[in-house]
Amino acid sequence: FRSSLALLVARRALRAVAEPAMRSVSLAALVAAVGRAQLAAASSDGGGLRGATNRSLTGVAASVDVGSGVLHSHFVLKKRYDLAAGPEADFEIEEHSDEFLTHSCSDYTNDGSTVFSREGNLVLKVASAGKSGKSLNSGRIMSKESYRYGLFTFTAKVPKCNYVWPAIWLLPGNKDGQGPYGTWPCSGEIDVLETVHDQSFGTFNVVAGYGASSDGCYPQAQMSCNTCKPTYCTSSTMNSQSQADRYFVQPTNCEAGDTSWEEHTFVLNWQPDELTTWIDPVMSWDAQGNLVKLEPKAEPAAANGMKTWKTYKRQSTPTWLAVGDYHQQCFPAEAGADAPFDIGFKIVLNIAVGGYGGAPCVWGADSCSTTCGGAIGSELIMSDISVWERRA
């Protein structure tokens, strides 16, 4: 069962606009450019953000050029998470094991040691070994607020080596991915970043599925309107045999002690029929601090041809098209053409350890605290999480 790592957010009405004057600045510089007044207005929109809401921001899709990876659009800051305020304000700190999810060694706890704020940042940590030595105490959170379409920016230092499996992702409902179309994978999953151990890249995946007469996919199993309970077919873009789902981040040398990537900004644009992720894109803003252009950064020599961005368009993504019949036949009144990616999703952050294919440790094994025990102390450090709304 793979309820692993995943994205989020917004759409609104699009009108033709005159080309604004643009300037390229860092994400950090934008905070000053937008100003306290605009940030306060964005943060207070809708009467507060502590409740679990489904913010639906409808509009026309902002399409990415599939050849260049450039996006011309107009995004207004909707919410910047106050990461210094303490995680409980905007996130649910999850308490459960990974035993029946990704089978990793992680036991997600809420005792103050695995999820906390420090120096203005949000920190998730592999804090200690479990009492039995067959698990590791780690952090996992889910946003209280859910989003439907939008652009998301995540600035983070991501842990590496020691068989860690950190993720930045989106999932509907709860840890089981419960949404209008059923439990995981029927209601979808968006993985902005997954990376394991010594990989120099991140993977960007969209996961969907449909109810099936038995576990498996057609022709081994027939489609069923059972909302993925108890059996289902998983339809994912993940492909370990190619680089199709990957984007280059930075070289990783575990033998040299590279136990963390440098700080990077991961960006997700989620619009009807299209999802795109960039690593450290060049972002341009107008004089009001609105985001008006994204373009991929130059590919480093170390990337060996691997891109720094990836896009999925529904009409050219077979695994997305494969679930169309399920939604049309089982949810004709509810599902849009881009289902399941037409519903509210929540932001999820976590650090799993082991559990992935080829990992030397899994839940319940002594190797969690021996072979993979070096993961203790690993931290996912978030310095920015922001959500942007498309507007004219």
Side-chain angles (χ1 to χ4, degrees):
F1 180 83
R2 183 183 176 279
S3 179
S4 70
L5 325 125
L7 298 215
L8 292 124
V9 186
R11 53 177 171 174
R12 282 230 177 131
L14 172 66
R15 300 191 305 266
V17 293
E19 182 70 15
M22 296 188 297
R23 55 191 174 90
S24 296
V25 297
S26 68
L27 186 60
L30 176 65
V31 178
V34 173
R36 292 183 180 179
Q38 183 174 340
L39 292 178
S43 297
S44 62
D45 182 84
L49 296 166
R50 290 175 182 256
T53 62
N54 175 15
R55 178 167 294 173
S56 177
L57 306 168
T58 59
V60 177
S63 186
V64 173
D65 184 279
V66 296
S68 66
V70 174
L71 172 64
H72 291 275
S73 190
H74 191 96
F75 291 95
V76 176
L77 182 65
K78 188 64 180 178
K79 177 178 176 68
R80 172 165 283 123
Y81 281 81
D82 184 355
L83 303 182
E88 296 85 357
D90 285 314
F91 297 95
E92 301 289 350
I93 301 176
E94 299 190 17
E95 295 183 87
H96 57 83
S97 78
D98 241 354
E99 180 178 7
F100 301 110
L101 295 176
T102 64
H103 311 296
S104 86
C105 295
S106 291
D107 190 9
Y108 299 114
T109 63
N110 181 14
D111 61 2
S113 69
T114 60
V115 182
F116 51 90
S117 292
R118 183 182 66 206
E119 299 176 350
N121 299 322
L122 172 64
V123 181
L124 278 69
K125 184 174 184 176
V126 182
S128 58
K131 292 182 180 180
S132 68
K134 300 178 185 294
S135 65
L136 297 173
N137 297 318
S138 188
R140 173 168 160 157
I141 60 175
M142 172 177 272
S143 65
K144 294 180 179 179
E145 185 169 6
S146 62
Y147 304 89
R148 180 172 178 257
Y149 307 125
L151 186 139
F152 306 80
T153 57
F154 305 91
T155 301
K157 291 186 68 175
V158 177
K160 295 297 299 177
C161 305
N162 298 305
Y163 309 103
V164 296
W165 181 6
I168 300 171
W169 52 305
L170 305 174
L171 192 69
N174 56 21
K175 70 179 179 64
D176 298 315
Q178 180 66 55
Y181 308 128
T183 58
W184 188 93
C186 272
S187 290
E189 171 186 336
I190 305 170
D191 300 327
V192 182
L193 167 72
E194 292 189 12
T195 187
V196 301
H197 191 46
D198 61 355
Q199 292 175 341
S200 60
F201 57 87
T203 58
F204 167 44
N205 304 302
V206 292
V207 183
Y210 55 83
S213 57
S214 61
D215 277 327
C217 301
Y218 181 85
Q220 288 78 20
Q222 301 298 311
M223 190 193 76
S224 168
C225 292
N226 66 358
T227 64
C228 284
K229 293 185 295 186
T231 51
Y232 54 83
C233 165
T234 303
S235 191
S236 170
T237 57
M238 179 177 287
N239 185 348
S240 61
Q241 304 303 312
S242 74
Q243 296 186 4
D245 60 350
R246 303 174 184 178
Y247 55 89
F248 181 80
V249 181
Q250 73 175 71
T252 304
N253 186 340
C254 294
E255 293 182 359
D258 295 345
T259 56
S260 176
W261 278 336
E262 299 171 357
E263 186 171 80
H264 294 281
T265 297
F266 303 87
V267 179
L268 169 71
N269 182 41
W270 169 23
Q271 303 296 333
D273 285 337
E274 179 177 307
L275 296 107
T276 307
T277 284
W278 298 262
I279 171 76
D280 297 326
V282 178
M283 293 183 279
S284 299
W285 324 89
D286 65 15
Q288 289 72 47
N290 300 316
L291 179 58
V292 293
K293 182 181 179 182
L294 287 90
E295 54 187 316
K297 72 173 182 179
E299 295 175 11
N304 293 319
M306 190 182 300
K307 291 184 176 182
T308 59
W309 64 283
K310 171 67 183 176
T311 191
Y312 296 109
K313 292 181 181 286
R314 180 176 62 88
Q315 291 295 349
S316 57
T317 305
T319 55
W320 193 347
L321 292 172
V323 302
D325 285 349
Y326 170 76
H327 294 100
Q328 293 168 16
Q329 294 182 30
C330 302
F331 302 92
E334 299 91 350
D338 57 337
F341 306 109
D342 63 343
I343 60 175
F345 278 62
K346 297 181 178 182
I347 299 171
V348 184
L349 308 172
N350 73 292
I351 309 176
V353 182
Y356 55 88
C361 52
V362 295
W363 176 268
D366 291 333
S367 55
C368 285
S369 58
T370 55
T371 306
C372 297
I376 295 174
S378 298
E379 294 183 340
L380 174 61
I381 305 174
M382 309 296 301
S383 62
D384 181 79
I385 302 174
S386 297
V387 180
W388 300 77
E389 171 190 359
R390 177 166 170 75
R391 283 184 181 172

